[in-house]
Amino acid sequence: ARAGGVMQPNGKRGDRGRVDLPWGGQGWIDSDDLEGAASATATADPYLPWISRSPPVVLLASRVGGTAVDSDTVRIEGTVRDDQAVKDLFIFVNGTKVFYRSEVDSQGAATRTSVTFELAVGLEEGDNTIEVFARDNDDLMGSTTVGVYRPEVAETARKRP
């Protein structure tokens, strides 16, 4: 119903009436907003729809997760997407921040809903954990984590002919 319009309750619990919302789902209205005890209609105060918010989604284009590499670096590339705007992104390797980029413009606003990234990150010998985080305008965070194994130098030298 529009502001000041009439909504049909389809249930009642205690002092609240249940109504179907225009975008799907159901909502509750206080009994004070119901017109008359025997009436099947309810008036609604002006309302704003509740819109779900979701964190950014981090998608890796490079398939590095679960791999073993002989190099001391690995290239990480991907895309971050958000329903509103990507505020910033940062990358950690083994718990150490190795990359940060702000997506906020000179007026202090983040406006891009999709951003790409690409960089080479250094690896230690053994297991490495690479974490990519992104934050949106609501400070909701999304992330993805991959593991990369780099053999010890002596182990790598033994395998080469």
Side-chain angles (χ1 to χ4, degrees):
R2 296 179 190 253
V6 175
M7 300 180 84
Q8 297 288 86
N10 59 17
K12 187 172 181 179
R13 181 174 187 142
D15 61 347
R16 304 192 45 89
R18 185 179 63 209
V19 294
D20 290 322
L21 299 174
W23 56 86
Q26 297 178 330
W28 295 90
I29 296 177
D30 288 330
S31 62
D32 294 345
D33 294 327
L34 297 173
E35 291 182 346
S39 175
T41 62
T43 58
D45 288 331
Y47 63 88
L48 295 173
W50 178 80
I51 299 172
S52 68
R53 298 180 303 168
S54 59
V57 176
V58 180
L59 304 166
L60 293 181
S62 52
R63 297 179 184 251
V64 297
T67 61
V69 297
D70 289 334
S71 174
D72 60 351
T73 63
V74 67
R75 180 161 291 292
I76 300 293
E77 56 186 296
T79 303
V80 176
R81 294 190 180 117
D82 189 62
D83 59 339
Q84 293 186 19
V86 178
K87 183 177 180 179
D88 53 13
L89 70 118
F90 34 103
I91 299 175
F92 287 77
V93 177
N94 299 325
T96 301
K97 185 170 26 173
V98 296
F99 178 81
Y100 173 82
R101 185 171 76 208
S102 173
E103 295 295 331
V104 176
D105 63 19
S106 60
Q107 281 76 40
T111 58
R112 296 175 60 199
T113 59
S114 180
V115 297
T116 59
F117 60 92
E118 179 180 348
L119 78 146
V121 297
L123 300 173
E124 298 174 1
E125 292 180 349
D127 293 324
N128 291 269
T129 301
I130 302 169
E131 300 167 292
V132 181
F133 294 91
R135 185 170 41 182
D136 70 8
N137 278 343
D138 292 324
D139 287 334
L140 297 175
M141 293 186 55
S143 66
T144 191
T145 302
V146 295
V148 177
Y149 180 75
R150 177 181 168 215
E152 295 180 25
V153 175
E155 182 181 336
T156 303
R158 279 194 306 263
K159 291 182 181 179
R160 292 190 180 152

